[in-house]
Each structure stands twice: as C-alpha cells, then as structure tokens.
Amino acid sequence: MRGTRPVALPDSLAGTAQVRTVCSYCGVGCGMLLDVARGADGRRTVLRATGDKAHPANHGRLCTKGATTADMLAAPGRLTTALLRAERDEEPRPVSADDAIAETARRLRAVVDEHGPDAIAFYVSGQMSLEAQYLANKLAKGFVRTNQIESNSRLCMASAGTGYKLSLGADGPPGSYEDLDRADVFLVIGSNMADCHPVLFLRMMERVRAGAKLIVVDPRRSATADKADLFLPVRPGTDLALLNGLLHLLVENGHTDPAFIAAHTEGWEEMPAFLADYPPAAVAETTGIPEADLRTAAEWIGRAGEWTSCWTMGLNQSTHGTWNTNALINLHLATGAICRPGSGPFSLTGQPNAMGGREMGYMGPGLPGQRSVLVDGDRAFTEELWGLEPGALRADGSGRGTVEMFRRLADGEIKACWIICTNPVASVANRKTVIEGLEAAEFVITQDAFAETETNAYADVVLPAALWTETEGVMVNSERNLTLARAAADPPGEALADWRIIARVACAMGYADAFTYGSAEQVFEELKGAANPKTGYDLRGVSYERLRATPVQWPAATGDGPDRNPIRYVDDEAAGPVFPTASGRAVFFARPHIPPAEMPDDEFPYVLNTGRLPHQWHTLTKTGKVAKLNKLNPDPFVELHPQDARALGVRDGDAVEVASRRGRAVLPALVTDRVRPGCCFAPFHWNDLFGEYLSINAVTSDAVDPLSFQPEFKVCAVTLTKVATGVTADRAPVAGIAAAGVVGVVGVVGVAGVAAVAGAGAAAALP
Ligand SMILES: Nc1nc2c(c(=O)[nH]1)N[C@H]1C(S)=C(S)[C@@H](COP(=O)(O)OP(=O)(O)OC[C@H]3O[C@@H](n4cnc5c(=O)[nH]c(N)nc54)[C@H](O)[C@@H]3O)O[C@H]1N2
Ligand SMILES: Nc1nc2c(c(=O)[nH]1)N[C@H]1C(S)=C(S)[C@@H](COP(=O)(O)OP(=O)(O)OC[C@H]3O[C@@H](n4cnc5c(=O)[nH]c(N)nc54)[C@H](O)[C@@H]3O)O[C@H]1N2
Ligand code: SF4
Ligand SMILES: [Mo]
C-alpha cells in the first residue's frame, strides 16, 4: 500500500505543494491530500482537499465533510491568542500564550497545593492526536496524580470498549475494513453508517450490490435503513431482546458452530437455558419486529459463509450498552464468525482518534497500552515508562465517568477543570450539570481551536490550539490504522499544538524533567514503549519515518513487518484464535433484556432519540462555518410522526417544545414517518451559539450504564407541545467571549424554515 509520496513543502520554497494527511472528522480515518500554497507573506494555506488513493481506509474517496476541509480551514473564528479573565464577571481579554500558560500552571499548582490532586480534573477528546492524549494522561495520573481524567469517548465508545474487554479480553475490533469486502451478510445495528461513516458505507454497499445481504436495525428509518434488504424497526432500547432472539433461532436452526464454541469459548453451558426465554413470539412482542422478519434475519446470518456486524451509538449510548456489545459478540462466537476474513463484530469509532485515546487510557482508570491503574503489574510497568518511583501511581481507580465528574465539580469536590478539544456544555447528556459544575469551579481552562464555543464562554483561561493541519501527530482509525497528520499550513497567531501546550503547562508546574520534548515524534517514540504483550497492542515497529511512507495498522511489532495486520488474535491459522483472556477463550455472557432507564408514561408520553445529520459535525464549531454544508443541513428540527403531529395539531415548521424532567428545547417540527409513532428525533448539532432553547442536551437523560458509565443519549421520556411563538434564531453569537483575539465571527445559520433533508450523506458522498 505504499503510494507515491507527495512532498511536504520545504520552508524555504514558494509555490504550491501537496501534503499527505488524514481527515479530522469521523473515525473512518480517510487519507487526504492537501494542496498547499505559500502566499506573498510567506504563510502556507490549504487550497483544496482530495482523497488519497493510496490510503487503505478510503482508496481516494471523501464524503462531503472531508471534501470541504479547505473551506473549513479558511473560515474565520480561530483563536489567535489566549484569553484570560481575572474575575468571573469580567470580559475575557487577549493575552499572550506564554502568559496564559504560566497563569494556568500557577493556578493549577495552587489548587493542588491547597486542595490536593483530586481537586483537578482533565476532560479530553478523541479528536486530539495520540501524542496529546498520551501527555494529558501522563500529566494527570503520573505527575499531578489526580484520578480525575475523562474524555468525550465516555459519551461514545465506552460501552463498546467495556464490552470488548469482557467478551474478548481486550478492547478494539478483532477485524478490519477488509471484512466489508468479504462478508455475505451485514448486520448494521444502531448505526447510521450512510450519514456517519459514509465512505465505509459506500464500501459496504459495493459488496451489497455484488449480492451480500444488508440487515439494518434502528427505531428510525435512517438513510442506512433505506438501503437495507431487511429493515428491522426495533422499539427503542430493545436490542438485547432482539439479539438474544436471533441467537435463540440460530440454535433452533442448527446454525451454530459447535467445534468453534468448544475450542475457543467459555460460558456456553449457560446459554441454552437462558435463550429459552427469547422465543420469536416473545421477542416480536418486545421489539415490535414481526416474527417472520426475525426468522429471515436469523436464516441469513445462519446460512452466511461470512458475516460482519457494525454498530455505533444506537447500541453504545444505552444504560445497557456494555450488555448490547456482549450480546452482539455472542452471535459471532456462536457462529464462529470472528477472526477470519469477512467476519467479526466491528465497532465503528466515532472520532478520528478515539481508538488512539482508548489505547492511551484516557478514560477513568486507563494507562497507556491498554492498561489500567487497577492492575498492579500495569502500574509498575507504567511507573517505569514514566520514570516514577515504584508505588507512585495511585491504585484507587477513579469515578464513574464524565457525568459524575461534572457532578463532583458542581458539588465542589473538584475545584479546577481543564477541558481540551471538546465542548461539554453542548454535548453532555443533561448538560445542566456541566453548567453548574463550570459555574461552581474555582478555575476553568478550555483549550480549543475556535474562539466561540458554548464551553469557552465559561472559561477563565482559553488556550489557543493549532489544528491537525498545522502540526504533526498520529491518528488511529476504527480499524487500528495509524496515519501521520503533517503540518501543511501555519497556525494562526499564537496557536500551538495541543501536545505542546500540555507539555509546556507541565514544565511550568515543575515537571520539566518528564515533559521536555522537542517534537511530537519524540513523544511518539516514548509512547511506543507502552506495547502490551497481554493484549497484543504493539506500535514498536512504527516510526514517523515509516508513517511518512504509508499508514500502518497495529499490531506492528517490527519495522519490517507488514503494513496491514487485518486480523487480531490469530498467530496460527490452523489452531484458530487465542483471545487475551485468562483462559485464552472468548466469553459468552447471558445478558437479559432490560428496558431503558426512563420509559414514557402518562406525564412524559414520547420517546426522544438524538443523533447526527450527514453534513454537520457535532457542535458545529467546524462544519457550521462551511457554506456548502450549511446548505445541505441548514437548520435544527425535531422529527415527529404524522399521527402524533395530527394529534398535537402540529404542522411542518411549527415550533414544538420538547420537554423532559430535566429541561426543555424548542425546535421546528419536521413531520415524517421516518420515526415511529410515539417517538421523536432531534440532532444535537445546534446549541447556544445559534439561539436559545436549541440545545437538546438540556433534555436528554444522564442515566449511565453501570459498567461503562456511558449515558443513555438515545432514550428519554418527553412531552411534545406546540408553542405559539415562532422559533427565532438568535443571530448574535453568545456573550462571554470577547471578539478580541479572534480572526472573525461565526457565520450563524438561521433556524426558521425547516428545509433539512435527513439522510443525504451517502448520496452526497463525493467520489
Ligand atoms: N455526519 C456526521 N458523521 C459523524 C459524526 C457527526 O457529528 N456527523 N460524529 C461521529 C461520531 S463521534 C460518532 S460517535 C458517530 C455516530 O454514528 P451513529 O451512531 O451512526 O450516529 P447517531 O446518529 O448518533 O445514531 C445512530 C443511530 O442509532 C439509532 N438508535 C437510536 N436508538 C436506538 C436503539 O434503541 N436501538 C438501535 N438499534 N438503534 C438506535 C438512531 O436512530 C440513529 O439512526 O458518527 C461519527 N460520524
Ligand atoms: N444528544 C446527544 N448528544 C451527544 C451525542 C448524541 O448522539 N446525542 N453523541 C455524543 C458523542 S458520541 C460525542 S463523540 C460527543 C462529541 O462532543 P464534543 O466533543 O463536545 O463535540 P465537538 O463539537 O466535536 O467538540 C470538539 C471541540 O474541540 C474543538 N477542536 C477541534 N479541533 C481541535 C483541536 O485540534 N484542538 C483543540 N484543542 N480543540 C479542537 C472544537 O472547536 C470543539 O469546540 O457528543 C456526544 N453528545
Ligand atoms: S468518511 Fe468523511 S468524515 Fe469520515 S474520515 Fe472519511 S471523509 Fe472524513
Ligand atoms: Mo462519538
């Protein structure tokens, strides 16, 4: 897969050049070429982004978001200096990055000295580079010695990660994108791939066009469901019943693989009795899926030579998200469809480097190399890696995830919070807790590339970050593939690479011995030392030099090994997989169906589901500035079924209040039978920057999965009420952040006139 090597523009050269990098949106991790020009002032800017034909993730394709990267980079609104406010009621004023870093270090030091290390929390992101994630965790656990570090992956991949660890012994998918080229049947469950992983969806659809069957499970008829051979419109939160019901039928039909079960798994003994509770009639009743369709799905899976499942937030963002993962993996173990080309349970990562963050241990008790502070040997190993005395790392674990961390901040247990590359005021379930936490905190630091975000408005210090096109760093995609992001353009003003800001604050806090690095490459060379023979995690054979020639998929133990390592856990094909559990066997778990934490009742009779649109990214700090994308998905909305709309007297475009026990949003109605009667759906992209009462996370439930601590964004109970006042867009940006230090202001899109076309992602994916 070594392609031609575009040359990076030497600093001394004028003219244009092409720089090879990676898309910074979703976890597909498409390879990207940037055309770069040097202006008369000597500064480099990106003119155009195109797909990298030599990259194994996309072979040259990009979706609308990736393809408009140059527009996004050219948009105004970047932070060019740091911002600081001495008092809470003051306007923030621009200060030099040097001063802001010194002030950050001084105040963090003071908090630790006064209140102890646990008074400081870090909240980081799957959109940071591997190097920045590694340094954040090293600073938090190794040097500040707080046990409070969380990441936005807690909202995203925590259930998949926890489920993988329990079922297979280690986190991360056992297979690869190549499985999509080989499978005979796809089970896409709780994943709107057409909109959210468009390039991968196109790859899967090539195989479907060649005759493979596509089964889609989703309570909403998504763009992905539109393309299904068999669509199972499951009742919200009933996937466990469905998955157990499918396994019941596979057993009944004689479609299990007893030899595989005997040789490579444990826990099967319990399953037949457990599955007796999930006969098709009962499952049809629970899930709302006709018995005949359940039987068809089970037949297709049972008769498939190879079959692959893909899942994302529809399974993870649940109070039984970990169990969902276990139940899905049960199906693969029972049919032996795992660890061979074309077969496996494939969790699609949302963010471009969420996989890297999980590997670096940036959630809760994690340590680099798929390790944990809860394991004695893992702590000892990491103490050596970080040059700490034995016993330095704390063993007392951490809390219960992002939601609890912000709760502790609100309760005054945590005094200071450093938020990097994530926008929790907009994105955390029941966001009221986040707002209370930031208001109660003594010291809030945000580190962002853009001046205006919902969270920056609460910061005492805002640190200006360079984007991935302005610095170097490694990103790890959904299939464990490492791509090097390279500096193609100059950062605006004083913006600095995230890893550099973290390292400089650490040095200023007194940890210079452990945080003096000249380059991201030096950080990478250090973090490679976290290879883990127990789980198979291994980057030792990867170097920046190698990555300049080609992406490399881990496990990669040696520099001269293959660049692609598509299947894990199989050393000897004849012997089959050996899983990184104590017994070497994968584990069946009997996971009974339980309903979501909050079900509709007389008071709150509708179910609210939330998610994404094809042409917007999260809280809109990036895509919201791109005219081409705003044209495709211009406005927020709430989808409701025609029957419900009639009963409520609501027509398209009417303002509808969506209210739960926690809060309310007011959104224009979009009447559509994409949603089931009794259900509604709202995207979470539009928040305070675009108007009042747009934030759907004022409404969502923060009940969490007891194992993964991931909140249940996909199900809560709400009322829907037509409200008389029209929804008006507040076109002014929110107060709280001075325009000083800012290149320009956000181009705000309007709310009125719902023309949103959900589900155009794949159709609009560019070749
Ligand atoms: N365009 C775009 N692409 C993105 C992103 C973006 O912001 N915009 N974000 C990226 C990130 S970080 C992530 S995590 C991924 C998310 O990717 P997805 O998970 O595919 O996206 P969502 O829209 O959050 O939810 C997926 C589907 O889950 C369904 N669902 C809801 N409740 C249930 C349920 O009870 N059971 C089942 N089976 N399904 C249910 C929803 O109806 C929805 O269609 O997308 C990534 N890609
Ligand atoms: N209701 C509802 N809420 C959800 C979800 C849902 O399905 N429904 N999904 C959840 C999921 S899966 C996710 S992943 C989260 C995502 O939630 P967030 O992480 O909060 O969303 P983003 O908008 O991606 O925030 C990234 C922030 O980092 C900034 N940024 C971008 N690049 C850089 C950089 O290089 N360096 C720095 N320092 N900053 C940068 C951006 O400007 C932005 O402010 O949302 C969660 N929230
Ligand atoms: S599918 Fe689209 S958003 Fe995702 S990495 Fe590829 S180009 Fe970027
Ligand atoms: Mo995500």
Side-chain angles (χ1 to χ4, degrees):
M1 218 19 94
R2 287 175 204 255
T4 49
R5 295 172 56 175
V7 281
L9 194 68
D11 278 347
S12 59
L13 257 186
T16 61
Q18 215 171 39
V19 178
R20 174 165 273 163
T21 187
V22 61
C23 178
S24 76
Y25 289 110
C26 85
V28 177
C30 294
M32 180 182 266
L33 301 175
L34 299 176
D35 292 348
V36 177
R38 192 183 287 284
D41 58 356
R43 291 180 59 81
R44 297 168 300 169
T45 47
V46 173
L47 301 177
R48 197 167 79 110
T50 46
D52 181 353
K53 292 199 172 68
H55 199 286
N58 59 317
H59 304 293
R61 279 177 169 146
L62 294 177
C63 76
T64 52
K65 295 180 296 303
T68 52
T69 291
D71 301 53
M72 185 269 286
L73 292 171
R78 289 291 299 278
L79 274 164
T80 58
T81 70
L83 302 174
L84 178 81
R85 59 177 184 193
E87 300 291 335
R88 273 294 153 86
D89 48 6
E90 274 179 19
E91 282 293 301
R93 58 185 170 82
V95 294
S96 73
D98 286 349
D99 287 351
I101 286 168
E103 177 67 3
T104 299
R106 186 186 70 75
R107 293 201 54 186
L108 288 178
R109 178 87 272 152
V111 171
V112 180
D113 290 347
E114 193 181 340
H115 302 287
D118 286 349
I120 295 187
F122 292 73
Y123 187 53
V124 302
S125 167
Q127 297 173 64
M128 291 154 71
S129 69
L130 197 65
E131 293 81 359
Q133 292 165 336
Y134 171 78
L135 290 187
N137 204 17
K138 180 178 175 181
L139 175 58
K141 295 203 180 90
F143 291 83
V144 173
R145 299 187 187 168
T146 173
N147 59 19
Q148 298 298 319
I149 175 165
E150 273 302 331
S151 82
N152 58 0
S153 281
R154 190 65 77 185
L155 314 177
C156 183
M157 308 309 305
S159 296
T162 310
Y164 269 139
K165 277 184 231 163
L166 288 169
S167 292
L168 304 182
D171 189 9
S176 284
Y177 296 163
E178 286 162 39
D179 296 332
L180 301 183
D181 310 330
R182 307 279 288 270
D184 307 309
V185 169
F186 295 100
L187 176 64
V188 174
I189 175 162
S191 173
N192 183 5
M193 281 177 80
D195 288 350
C196 295
H197 295 92
V199 166
L200 216 51
F201 180 73
L202 289 179
R203 184 162 174 177
M204 181 179 74
M205 289 311 291
E206 277 173 16
R207 183 74 187 155
V208 171
R209 269 194 298 278
K213 298 278 192 216
L214 173 60
I215 307 167
V216 175
V217 184
D218 198 307
R220 174 174 178 256
R221 208 183 64 244
S222 64
T224 310
D226 285 339
K227 296 284 194 277
D229 297 295
L230 180 65
F231 172 42
L232 308 178
V234 70
R235 240 179 229 130
T238 62
D239 299 273
L240 274 171
L242 172 69
L243 293 164
N244 293 337
L246 290 175
L247 190 47
H248 176 111
L249 286 167
L250 285 167
V251 174
E252 189 175 288
N253 297 342
H255 284 153
T256 58
D257 182 341
F260 184 91
I261 293 172
H264 301 293
T265 72
E266 58 186 277
W268 177 254
E269 325 73 66
E270 260 190 76
M271 296 305 288
F274 165 72
L275 294 171
D277 288 344
Y278 296 88
V283 172
E285 178 75 28
T286 307
T287 61
I289 296 168
E291 204 177 310
D293 289 347
L294 293 172
R295 290 186 184 278
T296 304
E299 276 293 320
W300 287 0
I301 291 170
R303 293 190 184 283
E306 304 300 337
W307 73 279
T308 289
S309 58
C310 298
W311 84 97
T312 332
M313 294 309 113
L315 291 196
N316 290 347
Q317 290 174 338
S318 157
T319 44
H320 42 264
T322 303
W323 287 15
N324 285 338
T325 300
N326 297 145
L328 181 57
I329 294 176
N330 284 346
L331 290 177
H332 285 276
L333 298 178
T335 54
I338 189 167
C339 297
R340 58 181 205 222
S343 284
F346 203 102
S347 144
L348 305 175
T349 44
Q351 300 177 91
N353 195 30
M355 190 62 76
R358 279 147 76 184
E359 293 156 8
M360 291 299 104
Y362 71 169
M363 270 187 278
L367 289 174
Q370 305 190 314
R371 292 186 172 80
S372 163
V373 299
L374 305 173
V375 178
D376 295 345
D378 287 357
R379 282 197 315 281
F381 177 93
T382 311
E383 283 156 2
E384 203 169 313
L385 178 71
W386 288 344
L388 299 168
E389 70 280 12
L393 286 175
R394 291 171 51 184
D396 54 342
S398 54
R400 296 166 56 88
T402 296
V403 169
E404 193 203 63
M405 196 181 87
F406 283 105
R407 183 75 259 152
R408 286 191 188 184
L409 203 58
D411 292 345
E413 285 170 50
I414 299 173
K415 309 286 182 193
C417 183
W418 183 358
I419 298 167
I420 309 176
C421 197
T422 177
N423 189 6
V425 169
S427 59
V428 173
N430 186 20
R431 63 146 181 182
K432 190 170 60 205
T433 309
V434 177
I435 294 172
E436 282 171 20
L438 298 181
E439 282 177 347
E442 284 176 17
F443 186 44
V444 175
I445 309 148
T446 60
Q447 180 168 322
D448 208 284
F450 295 97
E452 286 172 351
T453 76
E454 284 74 7
T455 308
N456 284 353
Y458 291 85
D460 300 300
V461 174
V462 182
L463 299 169
L467 285 171
W468 87 113
T469 47
E470 298 155 358
T471 171
E472 276 188 319
V474 169
M475 307 294 261
V476 189
N477 76 1
S478 277
E479 60 159 4
R480 313 181 312 279
N481 207 12
L482 284 75
T483 305
L484 182 65
R486 272 169 269 198
D490 295 304
E494 291 196 274
L496 288 167
D498 285 312
W499 71 265
R500 223 179 254 289
I501 298 178
I502 298 164
R504 285 189 53 188
V505 170
C507 289
M509 287 182 78
Y511 311 126
D513 286 352
F515 285 88
T516 303
Y517 300 93
S519 64
E521 185 170 5
Q522 283 177 5
V523 182
F524 184 79
E525 284 301 314
E526 179 179 312
L527 69 83
K528 275 161 59 173
N532 188 340
K534 265 196 205 151
T535 67
Y537 175 74
D538 202 341
L539 306 184
R540 282 172 304 166
V542 190
S543 63
Y544 269 35
E545 193 192 347
R546 186 172 177 190
L547 290 175
R548 283 189 187 103
T550 177
V552 180
Q553 186 176 36
W554 73 260
T558 59
D560 55 3
D563 298 331
R564 307 278 306 144
N565 296 288
I567 294 178
R568 286 169 82 190
Y569 309 136
V570 181
D571 283 336
D572 169 0
E573 245 167 76
V578 179
F579 294 96
T581 54
S583 62
R585 292 159 177 270
V587 186
F588 281 101
F589 285 98
R591 299 304 201 192
H593 165 69
I594 42 167
E598 190 180 73
M599 292 293 278
D601 53 23
D602 289 348
E603 213 185 330
F604 294 91
Y606 295 92
V607 174
L608 171 67
N609 169 14
T610 63
R612 295 159 168 81
L613 302 181
H615 311 292
Q616 298 291 7
W617 180 258
H618 296 169
T619 69
L620 299 188
T621 63
K622 286 160 79 179
T623 52
K625 298 181 174 76
V626 178
K628 286 170 194 151
L629 299 176
N630 284 333
K631 228 164 140 177
L632 293 164
N633 289 137
D635 298 307
F637 56 83
V638 56
E639 289 179 350
L640 63 163
H641 192 270
Q643 264 176 30
D644 296 326
R646 223 172 298 129
L648 294 162
V650 166
R651 285 181 311 183
D652 266 341
D654 286 349
V656 172
E657 183 195 70
V658 185
S660 70
R661 290 178 175 83
R662 295 157 294 277
R664 63 194 282 258
V666 180
L667 299 167
L670 180 58
V671 180
T672 169
D673 64 5
R674 278 194 183 281
V675 289
R676 304 165 54 106
C679 295
C680 60
F681 170 86
F684 74 101
H685 301 302
W686 286 270
N687 290 280
D688 312 327
L689 289 181
F690 299 89
E692 225 184 346
Y693 300 117
L694 295 180
S695 196
I696 201 65
N697 280 325
V699 182
T700 48
S701 163
D702 58 2
V704 300
D705 176 305
L707 299 171
S708 70
F709 311 129
Q710 182 159 351
E712 194 154 57
F713 285 108
K714 292 288 184 262
V715 182
C716 77
V718 297
T719 57
L720 297 175
T721 318
K722 183 176 166 176
V723 288
T725 50
V727 188
T728 53
D730 174 358
R731 280 166 192 275
V734 281
I737 283 295
V742 178
V743 182
V745 285
V746 187
V748 179
V749 294
V751 179
V754 181
V757 193
L766 310 175

